[in-house]
Amino acid sequence: MGGAVWADTSLSRVDALANYDGRPGDTPGTNWLLVGSDSRTGLTPEQEAALATGGDIGAGRTDTILLIHIPSSGPTTMVSLPRDWYVPIPGNGEDKLNASFSLGGAPLLVQTVEGVTGLHIDHYAEVGFGGFADMVDAIGGVDICVPYDIVDPLAGIDLRPGCQELSGPQALGFVRSRATALADIDRMNNQRLFLSSLLSKATGPSTFLNPFRAVPLVRGVVRSLQVDDGDHIWNLASLGWALRGEMVTTTIPVSGFEDVDGSGNVLLSDREKASRFFDLLANDQQLPPDLIGGG
């Protein structure tokens, strides 16, 4: 009990779920927004080099945005929200989804996601580069079936196809790399593949029955995660449990890509299918096969 209290009081918090005029009312089920930011906070130059986090860090960006819908019954749905999705950003016109994070941090990202999905976000969690790798190493690596060659010096990885155990730095490179045939589409698939593997191992007996893994994992979570002001360690535990069983993994329905002045190459959603996609989730209904996979 004391450990849970320590972990909860040690979590970093941000007012991510701020109220605003026109915010969607509570929708059935439980919705999480999970964000992987490029924050280098707490990393030494040597650690940055080891994790291959170099490059323009700007004002803070996010490469990973996942919407998790936990229904009242049935499997959880994990949706990759493309960082290059061209969306209206409140007070800032239209731009890529991850620009909302750069412009206004977690609160503006949440408001933008709620605006384009119609879903009420109940919980928020954000993890930076260093903490991401620490959590993987705390559980002794993650088992990933890499689907193809990934050679990406910018992400610090050189992986061959096949099932293998990835270390923290390798796993970070795996979910960051765009050096594949389908670039961001492949990266979103890899992010979902990784998260499923991470949570399966983190909630398995080889971790929670082994204090040499469980204690460093909890410490890594506490050091690396930033959650909403209203979130607690037991909310994170419930999320982990919901993600360890049967799950639907997908991305939004996509219609194509387009070059836009000031934004570069952006991803366009299929508006008709996306509307049906998010209406179903907002009403706590399962997605049909024709809406799963981004097609």
Side-chain angles (χ1 to χ4, degrees):
M1 183 66 179
V5 171
W6 168 84
D8 188 59
T9 57
S10 299
L11 282 169
S12 297
R13 289 182 164 85
V14 60
D15 188 17
L17 305 179
N19 284 318
Y20 55 88
D21 289 340
R23 187 180 185 198
D26 192 26
T27 48
T30 301
N31 298 308
W32 279 83
L33 192 64
L34 304 185
V35 175
S37 80
D38 66 358
S39 172
R40 278 81 164 164
T41 301
L43 295 182
T44 65
E46 292 76 16
Q47 289 172 319
E48 288 190 18
L51 295 176
T53 66
D56 177 22
I57 62 174
R61 299 166 301 173
T62 173
D63 282 340
T64 307
I65 307 170
L66 295 172
L67 173 66
I68 310 294
H69 177 72
I70 304 171
S72 54
S73 64
T76 294
T77 300
M78 180 192 300
V79 184
S80 292
L81 302 181
R83 68 171 202 163
D84 292 341
W85 183 15
Y86 196 57
V87 296
I89 300 175
N92 294 274
E94 289 187 285
D95 206 337
K96 294 179 179 179
L97 177 59
N98 73 341
S100 63
F101 188 81
S102 299
L103 291 166
L108 186 57
L109 174 62
V110 170
Q111 185 177 354
T112 300
V113 169
E114 289 184 331
V116 294
T117 66
L119 291 163
H120 181 94
I121 303 299
D122 303 296
H123 302 281
Y124 175 88
E126 176 188 326
V127 61
F129 279 156
F132 184 104
D134 286 346
M135 284 191 288
V136 173
D137 285 336
I139 60 173
V142 289
D143 298 317
I144 298 286
C145 291
V146 179
Y148 32 64
D149 284 321
I150 307 179
V151 181
D152 188 352
L154 291 176
I157 54 170
D158 185 349
L159 300 176
R160 297 291 174 262
C163 298
Q164 53 203 282
E165 185 178 85
L166 301 187
S167 67
Q170 288 176 317
L172 177 60
F174 179 70
V175 300
R176 289 181 59 218
S177 180
R178 304 169 77 187
T180 58
L182 298 180
D184 272 332
I185 301 298
D186 285 336
R187 177 163 64 176
M188 288 187 293
N189 290 334
N190 291 343
Q191 289 167 353
R192 296 194 299 269
L193 182 65
F194 161 77
L195 187 58
S196 297
S197 178
L198 172 68
L199 289 168
S200 176
K201 189 167 183 181
T203 57
S206 66
T207 296
F208 69 76
L209 294 180
N210 182 348
F212 295 103
R213 285 185 174 175
V215 173
L217 175 62
V218 171
R219 288 176 177 166
V221 168
V222 168
R223 284 197 308 267
S224 62
L225 278 185
Q226 188 171 50
V227 298
D228 179 65
D229 285 339
D231 285 325
H232 299 281
I233 196 74
W234 44 90
N235 298 128
L236 292 169
S238 296
L239 172 65
W241 188 259
L243 292 176
R244 70 186 300 272
E246 182 185 1
M247 185 164 50
V248 175
T249 63
T250 185
T251 187
I252 63 170
V254 173
S255 65
F257 297 85
E258 184 176 290
D259 290 326
V260 175
D261 288 343
S263 297
N265 189 254
V266 303
L267 180 145
L268 304 176
S269 62
D270 183 316
R271 294 192 178 185
E272 182 179 344
K273 287 186 176 181
S275 177
R276 187 159 62 101
F277 181 100
F278 289 119
D279 281 348
L280 288 168
L281 292 181
N283 287 286
D284 208 25
Q285 298 177 21
Q286 293 295 316
L287 299 173
D290 69 300
L291 290 181
I292 295 174

